[in-house]
Each structure stands twice: as C-alpha cells, then as structure tokens.
Amino acid sequence: MRRFLPRSLAGQMALLIAVALFTAQAINFAIAVRDRAQFRLAQATRPAITRIVDALEREKAAGRPLAPDRGRVRRVAADPIPPGLERRDEVAEELRGQLTELGIEVGRIDTGIRATVGDENRGRRRTGTMLVIAVEQPGKGWLTVNAPWARADRRLIAALIFQTIILYVIILLPVMWIVRRISKPLRSLAGAARDFRPGNGATPLEERGPSDVRAVIAAYNALSLRVNAMLDEKDRMLGAIGHDLRTPLAALRVRIESVDDDDDRNRMADTIDEMNRTLDDILSLARLGRPSEPPTDVDLSALIDAVVEDFRDLDHPVAFEEAERLKMHLRPSLMRRAVRNLIENAVKYGGGAEVSLLPGTRHVAIEVADRGPGIPADKLAAVFAPFTRLETSRNRETGGIGLGLALARAIVQDAGGDIALANRDGGGLTATITLPRG
C-alpha cells in the first residue's frame, strides 16, 4: 500500500487535503441525504394526517361514513394497496406514532408507491410518483389517502458532485502550488547535501521559505562551514604528523649507512621503507575525502599498462591483455594507486596477477585475478575494513597493516564505482573494480 502513496512533501500534502475535502463532502452528503429523507417523510405524512383527522371529524359531525369512491380521504372495506407496490415502512411508523398521539385507534397501516402519468397544458406529459396510504380502523374498514412522494433527487447528487469539483479546483490546486513553492527550498537543500564535497568552495544556500525551512537551511550552511574548518584542521594536523614522522625516518636512513653488516643494513632499510609505505597509506586514506588531484581525462588502458610495467620491471609475473584506448574522467594518480594495491595483493598472496580491462556500455570493469589461497566466503566483506588482515603475523613477506584494500575501495568509491572480491574456480581470487562510464 505504501508504494502507491506519494513520497514528496507536495504530494503528501495534496493527498491529505484531498482526503480531508472528500471526507468533509461525504459528511455533507450524508447530512443532506438525511435531511432530504426527513423532509420527504414530513412532506408525505403531515398532509396525510391533517386530511385523515379532518375527514374523521366531518364523518362524525355528519353522521354518515366516508364515500369509497370520492373525496381525498376514502373509506373502503379492504386494503386497497396491491402487493406488488414498493412499501415504505418508515412512513407507516411515522403515521402510527402521530395518530396514536392524537388518540385515533388504528390497526394495520400499509403504504405503496405508485407511478402517475398526467397531461399538462400545451400537451406536455408529466410523470411522477405518488404514495398511497391505507390506515385500518378496526371494525370500520380502511381509510385511504394519497400523498406526494418525491423520488431520490438526482439534482441534489449532481449539485454535491459539482460542489466537490469546484472545491478541489478552488482549494486543492492553489494549495498544491503553494506547497510546491514551500518545498522547493527543501529540494534545493537535499540536492546541496547530496552533492556536498568538503573543500569544493560551494556558496552557502539562500535562506528562503517559511521560518522553519530557513532555520534548517541556516543550520546546514553553518554545519558545512564547521565541517570544512574541521577538515582543514585535520589536513594541517596530518601534514604536521607526516613531516614529524618522515624527518626521523630520513635520519634513520642516513644512520644505517654506517652499519657494517650488509644483511643488517638491508633489513633496517626494508623496515624503514615499510614504515614509509605504511605512513603513505595512512595519510592517503585520511586525506581521500579532500584529494588535491583534480579529475582529468585519462586513457584507462594506458594507465593500467603503466602500472603493470612497473611490476614487470621488478620481475613479477603480471600479465595484462592489451585493450583498446578507453578515455575516462578520473583522478589518475589515485586510480593508479588503487590498481597497484590490488596487483600487490595478487603478487603477494598468489605469486602473480592476471589483469583485464572489460569495457561495457554503461560500466567499465578492471579485473585482477590470482591463483593464491583465496579468501573464506564469510571474510570477503570484512577484508575491506581498515587494519584488517587475515594473516596476522604482519611480517614483510605477507605484510602491511591491512590498509591496501581499504584504500583501494575508498579511491574507487570516490570515483563513483566499487570493488568486489570473488573466489575463482580452481583456487585463487578475483578483485573487480567497476567504474561508471560517461
């Protein structure tokens, strides 16, 4: 049921007002129908009671019974209403109550609606209905009298329908226009919040609309300023941390040159390089929300080929199937970092990598496959969390601190895509980067 309801503020307000108008008109219609029924009942019973009372008084004064074939009120021996006519029990009950209040003893009361046809002046024919009333007086026969009876007034229903349409046109349409104007600043606010990028220098939203909406827009503008200020402070802090950590690492690199043992010196140098790479990963992940590199048009095939060549220069078995030129709009250094991290994992755990570029009509896929041990199915999502590693020794052979996949996914998501991992048939893992085209 909810999927058929409007989701916008304007739609929900219009639906609410439409339901309220319909409910009010339904109540109005019910009251009008009830009043019409009461009026019709009174129109039929009051003249009939008056005529019956007058006829009985004349009968008593004259000392002779009413005639069975003339007069407005007639006395007959049996119930004159045939069984096929429509009965109106509410009229009979009303007549019984009024006659009883007047002290007139009655037995059965029967009613029937009969169609009438008459000729008017100028030859026009008029059709209608008449209510025939028969009141039994025990031991005296039946009193019969005719009364006017109006059928259901179609003009009343048509008037109410026309009135409802007018109300919808006069009230609902202007209200919808007003609600759309009120909700327009909210739509602008939603779009600004959806497109918000820290440090993009967006101008504050104009504060317009009702006071509540203006207050929300003002709060959003203040919040965006605070967020940008906090991120600026974070960038300054990260820059200071990077500088303060790299300085002693550089000093250590110089000092290890005085170590005589080549093996010890090489191990120390590898440790310092590992610390530098870890520091780079941490700073890159922390700064990813505000990258300094602008997006540019890049040949994605050439970018992947350059990364693969770097690994081939280090004698790593990394294969890349040549693909056609494919222009993409992205941040080349960051995307190169994401592809490199995936290939590093494949080389580290599988001994090599098979890289493929698969262009599609709406998306582009970059697949990095290996023949390593793979990842348990229940851990495929967990490995993207920062500082998560399935192998916990943290040595240089299997190494790092678990930021490679987290950083790669953050880079790809910043470009509007995603990374998925899947175990290969026959062993191994396939990491697939999916990027939108256009």
Side-chain angles (χ1 to χ4, degrees):
M1 184 62 183
R2 290 183 178 179
R3 61 181 177 178
F4 297 107
L5 297 178
R7 297 186 177 182
S8 65
L9 176 62
Q12 292 184 3
M13 288 292 295
L15 178 63
L16 178 62
I17 295 172
V19 171
L21 287 176
F22 179 81
T23 303
Q25 284 301 98
I27 295 173
N28 185 30
F29 178 75
I31 293 174
V33 170
R34 187 194 63 181
D35 292 343
R36 180 67 178 173
Q38 292 177 348
F39 172 77
R40 185 170 56 181
L41 182 63
Q43 188 182 35
T45 57
R46 290 176 183 176
I49 290 294
T50 301
R51 291 172 184 173
I52 289 174
V53 172
D54 290 344
L56 291 177
E57 289 178 352
R58 289 195 305 272
E59 184 183 46
K60 183 177 181 181
R64 61 176 182 273
L66 298 172
D69 55 353
R70 67 178 183 274
R72 292 185 173 181
V73 180
R74 304 176 184 181
R75 185 181 294 279
V76 295
D79 184 358
I81 301 176
L85 297 183
E86 177 186 351
R87 262 55 180 180
R88 305 301 302 188
D89 295 334
E90 69 275 15
V91 175
E93 292 298 326
E94 182 69 17
L95 289 171
R96 183 179 300 278
Q98 293 188 27
L99 291 173
T100 301
E101 290 179 0
L102 294 173
I104 299 175
E105 183 182 358
V106 296
R108 290 176 53 211
I109 298 179
D110 198 7
T111 59
I113 296 178
R114 185 177 61 192
T116 60
V117 178
D119 292 333
E120 291 185 345
N121 295 333
R122 300 178 184 178
R124 293 181 181 177
R125 173 163 294 200
R126 181 182 62 185
T127 60
T129 56
M130 180 176 292
L131 179 67
V132 182
I133 300 173
V135 179
E136 182 186 17
Q137 283 190 299
K140 298 180 181 180
W142 292 74
L143 297 175
T144 179
V145 61
N146 295 333
W149 183 260
R151 286 288 187 181
D153 196 348
R154 295 182 179 178
R155 288 180 299 178
L156 174 64
I157 298 175
L160 287 173
I161 294 175
F162 180 74
Q163 184 185 54
T164 302
I165 296 174
I166 293 298
L167 283 174
Y168 273 88
V169 172
I170 293 178
I171 296 178
L172 187 60
L173 293 181
V175 166
M176 289 180 63
W177 180 76
I178 293 172
V179 171
R180 284 187 62 84
R181 284 184 59 87
I182 293 174
S183 62
K184 187 176 181 180
L186 290 177
R187 293 195 298 271
S188 300
L189 176 60
R194 183 172 52 249
D195 299 335
F196 176 75
R197 295 293 182 272
N200 61 359
T203 58
L205 285 178
E206 179 186 358
E207 298 177 14
R208 55 195 178 94
S211 59
D212 294 341
V213 176
R214 291 200 302 271
V216 174
I217 295 175
Y220 167 79
N221 288 334
L223 178 63
S224 63
L225 291 176
R226 290 198 301 271
V227 169
N228 283 320
M230 292 171 60
L231 291 175
D232 289 338
E233 181 64 24
K234 183 201 73 170
D235 287 346
R236 287 192 293 270
M237 181 184 67
L238 290 174
I241 291 174
H243 177 270
D244 292 344
L245 289 178
R246 284 195 176 95
T247 299
L249 288 175
L252 285 175
R253 187 63 184 262
V254 172
R255 289 182 182 179
I256 66 172
E257 296 299 328
S258 61
V259 177
D260 294 331
D261 189 283
D262 292 341
D263 291 337
D264 289 341
R265 186 172 60 251
N266 291 335
R267 282 196 297 269
M268 292 178 185
D270 289 343
T271 300
I272 294 174
D273 290 341
E274 182 71 20
M275 293 175 67
N276 277 316
R277 286 195 299 270
T278 299
L279 181 60
D280 287 341
D281 285 346
I282 293 175
L283 294 179
S284 297
L285 187 60
R287 288 172 173 164
L288 194 58
R290 288 154 58 93
S292 58
E293 181 187 26
T296 57
D297 290 335
V298 179
D299 181 2
L300 188 58
S301 177
L303 183 147
I304 297 172
D305 186 62
V307 176
V308 171
E309 283 299 323
D310 291 341
F311 283 92
R312 287 173 177 168
D313 291 341
L314 298 175
D315 294 328
H316 292 304
V318 179
F320 174 55
E321 297 180 5
E322 296 294 332
E324 297 180 359
R325 293 176 58 87
L326 182 62
K327 188 172 71 173
M328 299 285 289
H329 193 70
L330 45 80
R331 295 182 173 92
S333 296
L334 289 176
M335 188 55 61
R336 191 178 297 112
R337 183 74 172 273
V339 176
R340 182 185 298 115
N341 286 0
L342 295 184
I343 297 177
E344 279 182 354
N345 277 352
V347 170
K348 200 175 296 180
Y349 297 103
E354 303 168 14
V355 184
S356 303
L357 176 60
L358 307 174
T361 56
R362 300 180 62 183
H363 296 88
V364 175
I366 305 170
E367 290 187 354
V368 179
D370 63 60
R371 285 299 178 183
I375 297 176
D378 58 341
K379 299 291 180 63
L380 287 174
V383 294
F384 285 108
F387 307 107
T388 298
R389 296 183 67 251
L390 299 183
E391 199 281 319
T392 58
S393 65
R394 302 193 183 279
N395 60 50
R396 289 192 299 271
E397 301 301 326
T398 58
I401 58 172
L403 285 178
L405 286 176
L407 181 58
R409 170 173 269 189
I411 292 171
V412 173
Q413 288 181 340
D414 182 69
D418 202 358
I419 296 180
L421 301 179
N423 288 307
R424 301 178 67 185
D425 293 336
L429 187 74
T430 299
T432 303
I433 295 176
T434 304
L435 297 172
R437 297 192 67 168

mmCIF file of all heavy atoms in Angstrom, residues 34-57:
data_model
loop_
_atom_site.group_PDB
_atom_site.id
_atom_site.type_symbol
_atom_site.label_atom_id
_atom_site.label_comp_id
_atom_site.label_asym_id
_atom_site.label_seq_id
_atom_site.Cartn_x
_atom_site.Cartn_y
_atom_site.Cartn_z
ATOM 1 N N ARG A 34 -29.843 12.744 4.664
ATOM 2 C CA ARG A 34 -30.713 12.532 5.828
ATOM 3 C C ARG A 34 -31.779 13.622 5.927
ATOM 4 O O ARG A 34 -32.960 13.340 6.170
ATOM 5 C CB ARG A 34 -29.863 12.529 7.100
ATOM 6 C CG ARG A 34 -30.635 12.161 8.356
ATOM 7 C CD ARG A 34 -29.881 12.499 9.593
ATOM 8 N NE ARG A 34 -29.658 13.947 9.694
ATOM 9 C CZ ARG A 34 -29.002 14.529 10.689
ATOM 10 N NH1 ARG A 34 -28.457 13.786 11.646
ATOM 11 N NH2 ARG A 34 -28.856 15.849 10.711
ATOM 12 N N ASP A 35 -31.356 14.900 5.730
ATOM 13 C CA ASP A 35 -32.336 15.989 5.783
ATOM 14 C C ASP A 35 -33.370 15.852 4.676
ATOM 15 O O ASP A 35 -34.558 16.119 4.891
ATOM 16 C CB ASP A 35 -31.625 17.338 5.658
ATOM 17 C CG ASP A 35 -30.764 17.655 6.875
ATOM 18 O OD1 ASP A 35 -30.968 16.999 7.920
ATOM 19 O OD2 ASP A 35 -29.896 18.546 6.773
ATOM 20 N N ARG A 36 -32.913 15.412 3.505
ATOM 21 C CA ARG A 36 -33.846 15.222 2.395
ATOM 22 C C ARG A 36 -34.851 14.118 2.712
ATOM 23 O O ARG A 36 -36.047 14.249 2.413
ATOM 24 C CB ARG A 36 -33.050 14.867 1.136
ATOM 25 C CG ARG A 36 -33.900 14.644 -0.093
ATOM 26 C CD ARG A 36 -34.569 15.917 -0.533
ATOM 27 N NE ARG A 36 -35.346 15.712 -1.755
ATOM 28 C CZ ARG A 36 -36.141 16.623 -2.287
ATOM 29 N NH1 ARG A 36 -36.269 17.798 -1.693
ATOM 30 N NH2 ARG A 36 -36.792 16.379 -3.391
ATOM 31 N N ALA A 37 -34.361 13.036 3.334
ATOM 32 C CA ALA A 37 -35.273 11.943 3.699
ATOM 33 C C ALA A 37 -36.285 12.388 4.747
ATOM 34 O O ALA A 37 -37.478 12.051 4.679
ATOM 35 C CB ALA A 37 -34.466 10.755 4.206
ATOM 36 N N GLN A 38 -35.814 13.176 5.745
ATOM 37 C CA GLN A 38 -36.751 13.672 6.761
ATOM 38 C C GLN A 38 -37.776 14.625 6.158
ATOM 39 O O GLN A 38 -38.961 14.586 6.517
ATOM 40 C CB GLN A 38 -35.965 14.364 7.885
ATOM 41 C CG GLN A 38 -35.120 13.414 8.710
ATOM 42 C CD GLN A 38 -34.299 14.135 9.759
ATOM 43 O OE1 GLN A 38 -34.189 15.361 9.740
ATOM 44 N NE2 GLN A 38 -33.701 13.371 10.673
ATOM 45 N N PHE A 39 -37.309 15.490 5.226
ATOM 46 C CA PHE A 39 -38.237 16.404 4.575
ATOM 47 C C PHE A 39 -39.268 15.639 3.750
ATOM 48 O O PHE A 39 -40.472 15.968 3.763
ATOM 49 C CB PHE A 39 -37.449 17.370 3.680
ATOM 50 C CG PHE A 39 -38.325 18.237 2.821
ATOM 51 C CD1 PHE A 39 -38.992 19.331 3.362
ATOM 52 C CD2 PHE A 39 -38.502 17.962 1.465
ATOM 53 C CE1 PHE A 39 -39.820 20.121 2.568
ATOM 54 C CE2 PHE A 39 -39.311 18.758 0.680
ATOM 55 C CZ PHE A 39 -39.971 19.844 1.226
ATOM 56 N N ARG A 40 -38.823 14.626 3.039
ATOM 57 C CA ARG A 40 -39.746 13.836 2.222
ATOM 58 C C ARG A 40 -40.753 13.105 3.103
ATOM 59 O O ARG A 40 -41.936 13.005 2.760
ATOM 60 C CB ARG A 40 -38.952 12.840 1.378
ATOM 61 C CG ARG A 40 -39.775 12.052 0.401
ATOM 62 C CD ARG A 40 -38.896 11.274 -0.562
ATOM 63 N NE ARG A 40 -37.971 10.404 0.157
ATOM 64 C CZ ARG A 40 -37.076 9.625 -0.461
ATOM 65 N NH1 ARG A 40 -36.994 9.653 -1.786
ATOM 66 N NH2 ARG A 40 -36.274 8.858 0.241
ATOM 67 N N LEU A 41 -40.266 12.607 4.264
ATOM 68 C CA LEU A 41 -41.178 11.923 5.185
ATOM 69 C C LEU A 41 -42.210 12.889 5.736
ATOM 70 O O LEU A 41 -43.415 12.576 5.807
ATOM 71 C CB LEU A 41 -40.371 11.295 6.320
ATOM 72 C CG LEU A 41 -41.153 10.488 7.353
ATOM 73 C CD1 LEU A 41 -41.814 9.289 6.690
ATOM 74 C CD2 LEU A 41 -40.231 10.034 8.473
ATOM 75 N N ALA A 42 -41.753 14.090 6.137
ATOM 76 C CA ALA A 42 -42.704 15.075 6.661
ATOM 77 C C ALA A 42 -43.664 15.545 5.581
ATOM 78 O O ALA A 42 -44.869 15.753 5.831
ATOM 79 C CB ALA A 42 -41.929 16.268 7.231
ATOM 80 N N GLN A 43 -43.149 15.697 4.343
ATOM 81 C CA GLN A 43 -43.992 16.134 3.224
ATOM 82 C C GLN A 43 -45.098 15.133 2.932
ATOM 83 O O GLN A 43 -46.183 15.495 2.484
ATOM 84 C CB GLN A 43 -43.110 16.353 1.992
ATOM 85 C CG GLN A 43 -43.815 16.990 0.807
ATOM 86 C CD GLN A 43 -42.899 17.119 -0.383
ATOM 87 O OE1 GLN A 43 -42.055 16.255 -0.613
ATOM 88 N NE2 GLN A 43 -43.044 18.201 -1.136
ATOM 89 N N ALA A 44 -44.826 13.861 3.196
ATOM 90 C CA ALA A 44 -45.827 12.831 2.916
ATOM 91 C C ALA A 44 -46.793 12.624 4.084
ATOM 92 O O ALA A 44 -48.000 12.419 3.880
ATOM 93 C CB ALA A 44 -45.128 11.511 2.584
ATOM 94 N N THR A 45 -46.283 12.666 5.331
ATOM 95 C CA THR A 45 -47.119 12.288 6.483
ATOM 96 C C THR A 45 -47.958 13.434 7.025
ATOM 97 O O THR A 45 -49.114 13.230 7.420
ATOM 98 C CB THR A 45 -46.233 11.737 7.605
ATOM 99 O OG1 THR A 45 -45.245 12.710 7.970
ATOM 100 C CG2 THR A 45 -45.548 10.464 7.155
ATOM 101 N N ARG A 46 -47.435 14.658 7.062
ATOM 102 C CA ARG A 46 -48.180 15.754 7.694
ATOM 103 C C ARG A 46 -49.472 16.090 6.954
ATOM 104 O O ARG A 46 -50.540 16.198 7.585
ATOM 105 C CB ARG A 46 -47.289 16.990 7.832
ATOM 106 C CG ARG A 46 -46.200 16.810 8.877
ATOM 107 C CD ARG A 46 -45.266 17.986 8.934
ATOM 108 N NE ARG A 46 -44.190 17.742 9.899
ATOM 109 C CZ ARG A 46 -43.182 18.571 10.095
ATOM 110 N NH1 ARG A 46 -43.099 19.701 9.378
ATOM 111 N NH2 ARG A 46 -42.241 18.276 10.991
ATOM 112 N N PRO A 47 -49.453 16.246 5.622
ATOM 113 C CA PRO A 47 -50.746 16.471 4.950
ATOM 114 C C PRO A 47 -51.702 15.280 5.095
ATOM 115 O O PRO A 47 -52.921 15.471 5.230
ATOM 116 C CB PRO A 47 -50.346 16.688 3.489
ATOM 117 C CG PRO A 47 -48.915 17.098 3.531
ATOM 118 C CD PRO A 47 -48.339 16.371 4.677
ATOM 119 N N ALA A 48 -51.131 14.059 5.066
ATOM 120 C CA ALA A 48 -51.999 12.889 5.192
ATOM 121 C C ALA A 48 -52.678 12.864 6.561
ATOM 122 O O ALA A 48 -53.890 12.571 6.676
ATOM 123 C CB ALA A 48 -51.186 11.614 4.983
ATOM 124 N N ILE A 49 -51.946 13.167 7.636
ATOM 125 C CA ILE A 49 -52.529 13.187 8.976
ATOM 126 C C ILE A 49 -53.607 14.252 9.059
ATOM 127 O O ILE A 49 -54.717 14.029 9.618
ATOM 128 C CB ILE A 49 -51.424 13.440 10.022
ATOM 129 C CG1 ILE A 49 -50.503 12.222 10.123
ATOM 130 C CG2 ILE A 49 -52.034 13.759 11.376
ATOM 131 C CD1 ILE A 49 -51.179 10.995 10.667
ATOM 132 N N THR A 50 -53.294 15.437 8.514
ATOM 133 C CA THR A 50 -54.282 16.534 8.562
ATOM 134 C C THR A 50 -55.566 16.141 7.852
ATOM 135 O O THR A 50 -56.694 16.375 8.355
ATOM 136 C CB THR A 50 -53.685 17.786 7.923
ATOM 137 O OG1 THR A 50 -52.497 18.159 8.635
ATOM 138 C CG2 THR A 50 -54.670 18.947 7.972
ATOM 139 N N ARG A 51 -55.414 15.532 6.672
ATOM 140 C CA ARG A 51 -56.612 15.136 5.918
ATOM 141 C C ARG A 51 -57.392 14.040 6.629
ATOM 142 O O ARG A 51 -58.639 14.050 6.646
ATOM 143 C CB ARG A 51 -56.192 14.665 4.526
ATOM 144 C CG ARG A 51 -55.675 15.791 3.645
ATOM 145 C CD ARG A 51 -55.096 15.268 2.347
ATOM 146 N NE ARG A 51 -54.513 16.341 1.529
ATOM 147 C CZ ARG A 51 -53.839 16.146 0.422
ATOM 148 N NH1 ARG A 51 -53.650 14.898 -0.013
ATOM 149 N NH2 ARG A 51 -53.364 17.174 -0.241
ATOM 150 N N ILE A 52 -56.691 13.070 7.212
ATOM 151 C CA ILE A 52 -57.390 11.984 7.907
ATOM 152 C C ILE A 52 -58.155 12.528 9.117
ATOM 153 O O ILE A 52 -59.325 12.170 9.357
ATOM 154 C CB ILE A 52 -56.383 10.899 8.333
ATOM 155 C CG1 ILE A 52 -55.876 10.140 7.096
ATOM 156 C CG2 ILE A 52 -57.019 9.921 9.323
ATOM 157 C CD1 ILE A 52 -54.781 9.151 7.398
ATOM 158 N N VAL A 53 -57.508 13.400 9.891
ATOM 159 C CA VAL A 53 -58.182 13.975 11.067
ATOM 160 C C VAL A 53 -59.398 14.791 10.649
ATOM 161 O O VAL A 53 -60.496 14.681 11.237
ATOM 162 C CB VAL A 53 -57.184 14.818 11.881
ATOM 163 C CG1 VAL A 53 -57.910 15.582 12.990
ATOM 164 C CG2 VAL A 53 -56.105 13.927 12.480
ATOM 165 N N ASP A 54 -59.235 15.643 9.606
ATOM 166 C CA ASP A 54 -60.382 16.444 9.132
ATOM 167 C C ASP A 54 -61.511 15.554 8.633
ATOM 168 O O ASP A 54 -62.714 15.813 8.897
ATOM 169 C CB ASP A 54 -59.934 17.385 8.014
ATOM 170 C CG ASP A 54 -59.044 18.505 8.535
ATOM 171 O OD1 ASP A 54 -59.031 18.733 9.767
ATOM 172 O OD2 ASP A 54 -58.352 19.143 7.708
ATOM 173 N N ALA A 55 -61.164 14.474 7.899
ATOM 174 C CA ALA A 55 -62.203 13.591 7.354
ATOM 175 C C ALA A 55 -62.956 12.881 8.474
ATOM 176 O O ALA A 55 -64.185 12.728 8.411
ATOM 177 C CB ALA A 55 -61.563 12.580 6.408
ATOM 178 N N LEU A 56 -62.230 12.425 9.504
ATOM 179 C CA LEU A 56 -62.902 11.747 10.618
ATOM 180 C C LEU A 56 -63.813 12.705 11.383
ATOM 181 O O LEU A 56 -64.910 12.320 11.845
ATOM 182 C CB LEU A 56 -61.858 11.139 11.557
ATOM 183 C CG LEU A 56 -61.075 9.947 10.994
ATOM 184 C CD1 LEU A 56 -60.019 9.496 11.989
ATOM 185 C CD2 LEU A 56 -62.024 8.783 10.667
ATOM 186 N N GLU A 57 -63.394 13.967 11.538
ATOM 187 C CA GLU A 57 -64.251 14.938 12.218
ATOM 188 C C GLU A 57 -65.507 15.220 11.404
ATOM 189 O O GLU A 57 -66.616 15.332 11.964
ATOM 190 C CB GLU A 57 -63.458 16.226 12.476
ATOM 191 C CG GLU A 57 -62.383 16.075 13.541
ATOM 192 C CD GLU A 57 -61.590 17.340 13.742
ATOM 193 O OE1 GLU A 57 -61.783 18.287 12.938
ATOM 194 O OE2 GLU A 57 -60.757 17.401 14.680
#
